[in-house]
Amino acid sequence: MTPGNADLLLVVDVQVDFLPGGALPVPGGDAVIGPINALQHRFRHVVLMQDWHPADHVSFAETHPGRVPFETVALPYGPQVLWPRHCVQGSRGAAFAPDLATDRASLVVRKGLDPRVDSYSAFLEADRATRTGLAGALRERGIARVAVCGLATDFCVAWSALDARDAGFDVLVVADAVRGIDVDGSLARAWARMEAAGVRRIAAAEIG
């Protein structure tokens, strides 16, 4: 793949709280930073996603008395995994990873701002009705193909990739520039869903 004017690199949630030592660490999450920095120089268009929660967000286990992280509860929009408190607006944990290059990004899209609704996807919140506006922004820029990288494969990366496909984009996931959490087999299920939807895996070395 040789990126052109219609190609975009979508960098998902490479933030301090998702790195080793953070509030919700993705195993090996820091390993994506080097490949992502290198990839950014191959794309004319780069967008960064940023989890950006209020302190009382509905996805936090501590918001639900008696519940613990990684339990699932029923909310008005469907099942919700409860997470440790993470990526709180303005906190150190919500900041981009210190070593992540950000200068080439033309757009930063924050998600998860509504305290009542979680938001894994770069395109559509978990209520599956509220749009971030990213699809429209990409169309206005003439984007046809999206290469997704970042954290975590089985949640925000997968949801973003699937919603990008639903929005009509050709979608690739850079397999060596993502890492997953893998809760009860969630990683294998996410890859299966993406492949069934026509999302293609690609290695960073195949992009140049």
Side-chain angles (χ1 to χ4, degrees):
M1 171 191 176
T2 301
N5 288 339
D7 293 305
L8 176 130
L9 184 69
L10 178 62
V11 181
V12 178
D13 296 357
V14 184
Q15 296 168 254
V16 171
D17 269 345
F18 296 130
L19 302 182
L24 184 52
V26 177
D30 50 348
V32 306
I33 297 172
I36 289 173
N37 286 348
L39 283 169
Q40 290 190 55
H41 292 284
R42 304 173 199 170
F43 285 80
R44 177 179 175 184
H45 304 284
V46 178
V47 169
L48 304 179
M49 294 302 302
Q50 190 174 23
D51 228 18
W52 197 251
H53 295 307
D56 60 347
H57 197 262
V58 71
S59 72
F60 296 162
E62 65 185 42
T63 306
H64 305 264
R67 298 289 189 170
V68 297
F70 306 107
E71 283 192 62
T72 299
V73 297
L75 293 180
Y77 55 82
Q80 171 67 52
V81 176
L82 298 180
W83 305 108
R85 195 169 184 256
H86 66 281
C87 295
V88 173
Q89 297 170 2
S91 69
R92 177 183 176 275
F96 290 119
D99 294 332
L100 179 71
T102 60
D103 290 348
R104 292 187 54 79
S106 59
L107 184 65
V108 175
V109 179
R110 287 173 168 170
K111 59 185 176 63
L113 283 76
D114 186 335
R116 303 162 299 176
V117 183
D118 206 3
S119 185
Y120 298 130
S121 171
F123 295 87
L124 198 63
E125 294 188 2
D127 62 6
R128 313 311 291 158
T130 305
R131 300 187 180 278
T132 66
L134 180 58
L138 299 192
R139 290 191 186 101
E140 287 198 356
R141 288 166 168 79
I143 301 301
R145 183 165 56 180
V146 178
V148 187
C149 56
L151 306 170
T153 313
D154 35 348
F155 289 93
C156 297
V157 167
W159 284 54
S160 297
L162 291 166
D163 285 347
R165 283 291 295 147
D166 285 344
F169 299 100
D170 187 16
V171 182
L172 311 166
V173 171
V174 187
D176 47 347
V178 295
R179 292 293 186 279
I181 297 174
D182 202 12
V183 179
D184 298 327
S186 59
L187 187 57
R189 289 194 301 271
W191 279 117
R193 288 178 62 210
M194 288 190 284
E195 288 169 3
V199 174
R200 292 178 289 147
R201 295 196 204 198
I202 192 170
E206 297 177 72
I207 302 172

